[in-house]
Amino acid sequence: MTITGTTAADVTQIDLVRHGHSHSNSLQKIHGPRLCQGLTDIGRGQAALLADRIRTEHTDTAVTAVYSTPPARAHQTAQPIADALGLEVEFLDHWRYPEYGSAEGRGWAEVYAGHPAGHPALAPDHPIADGAETHAQVRAVTLQAITELLRRHRGKRMVLAGSTENVLAVYDVLLGLPADARIRWKPAVGHTSITTFCLRHPSWSPLPWRAELVRANDIAHLPAAQQAARFRTPSVLGA
């Protein structure tokens, strides 16, 4: 994807990609790196289509780095992209799946039903389960990840593969959304969707970046039936 009216020196492009359809999605369970069983056959096909699309875009604006969170479903989505571009999948301590504590391995519906506020969005400073990170902690870790990635790749284009929670946390951090924003809205994040932010670095600004949301939940590379299914299937927060 080409960003017009800019130069590589003043814009950092971040392509956020959600993993393909996974076994965790089929089970509707919370699975971190330890329990994640990776992508289903459908998910692997989605990842291949995504890689081909990014490879085509790469000829316009070169991708210089591909990162993944640790769960196998994210890594298996990032690897075909890296292979198509002749790059290695990289990992960063702070670009990771949130810690869900005692909710790990349980169903999303069960965990939500037991939440003291009725829904996590109503209590962003309360962990979803014992030992889980709060919304504020997830945002803080994500901010650390973005800060480090900008230090490494300012003025470049990178791909970050992760889960829905990762994409939503980047929205929160880059757009400066309030902690209770999820009560009012939740961006759609389909399997292998691409969400692109361009971070400008104007000399006049006291802030480290000025974020522009260039595209969101782009799944044009998927078959029409899968694109339509995204809006027919009930969705929970994560995975």
Side-chain angles (χ1 to χ4, degrees), residues 16 18 53 167 171 187-196 213-222 227 230-231:
L16 300 164
R18 184 191 176 195
R53 180 175 182 186
V167 177
Y171 266 101
V189 187
H191 290 120
T192 66
S193 62
I194 309 172
T195 296
T196 299
L213 178 59
V214 178
R215 60 178 165 180
N217 192 42
D218 188 341
I219 52 175
H221 50 280
L222 296 183
Q227 294 186 42
R230 174 65 185 86
F231 299 99

Side-chain angles (χ1 to χ4, degrees), residues 5-238:
T6 61
T7 66
D10 61 15
V11 175
T12 303
Q13 182 172 333
I14 298 176
D15 292 327
L16 300 164
V17 299
R18 184 191 176 195
H19 58 75
H21 185 266
S22 69
H23 293 288
S24 300
N25 296 134
S26 296
L27 296 170
Q28 285 292 287
K29 291 185 179 292
I30 300 173
H31 287 164
R34 182 175 61 86
L35 296 180
C36 181
Q37 301 173 50
L39 299 179
T40 61
D41 289 342
I42 291 175
R44 290 182 183 276
Q46 293 171 334
L49 291 171
L50 172 65
D52 187 60
R53 180 175 182 186
I54 292 181
R55 178 189 57 79
T56 301
E57 291 184 356
H58 175 73
T59 61
D60 294 325
T61 305
V63 174
T64 59
V66 177
Y67 286 85
S68 175
T69 56
R73 58 187 180 274
H75 190 187
Q76 290 171 6
T77 302
Q79 191 63 59
I81 299 171
D83 291 344
L85 302 180
L87 300 171
E88 298 290 333
V89 176
E90 301 182 59
F91 296 91
L92 186 71
D93 286 347
H94 293 111
W95 183 245
R96 59 173 175 76
Y97 191 65
E99 175 57 59
Y100 279 103
S102 62
E104 177 81 8
R106 295 164 60 194
W108 283 103
E110 173 195 354
V111 173
Y112 274 32
H115 196 278
H119 193 283
L122 297 172
D125 294 324
H126 190 288
I128 196 170
D130 290 342
E133 292 178 303
T134 65
H135 181 65
Q137 289 172 322
V138 173
R139 287 172 64 134
V141 169
T142 302
L143 175 58
Q144 289 177 290
I146 295 298
T147 300
E148 174 59 20
L149 289 166
L150 279 176
R151 188 189 68 78
R152 296 185 184 187
H153 305 289
R154 178 167 170 155
K156 305 296 183 181
R157 180 186 179 191
M158 68 192 93
V159 172
L160 308 182
S163 297
T164 299
E165 298 94 320
N166 300 114
V167 177
L168 295 181
V170 173
Y171 266 101
D172 292 341
V173 167
L174 294 186
L175 299 181
L177 300 177
D180 63 352
R182 208 68 70 238
I183 298 174
R184 294 183 293 276
W185 79 303
K186 175 180 175 288
V189 187
H191 290 120
T192 66
S193 62
I194 309 172
T195 296
T196 299
F197 281 95
C198 284
L199 306 186
R200 299 177 185 272
H201 312 286
S203 58
W204 52 263
S205 175
L207 303 177
W209 63 69
R210 191 183 194 201
E212 296 179 6
L213 178 59
V214 178
R215 60 178 165 180
N217 192 42
D218 188 341
I219 52 175
H221 50 280
L222 296 183
Q226 291 186 26
Q227 294 186 42
R230 174 65 185 86
F231 299 99
R232 293 198 303 266
T233 305
S235 175
V236 294
L237 171 67

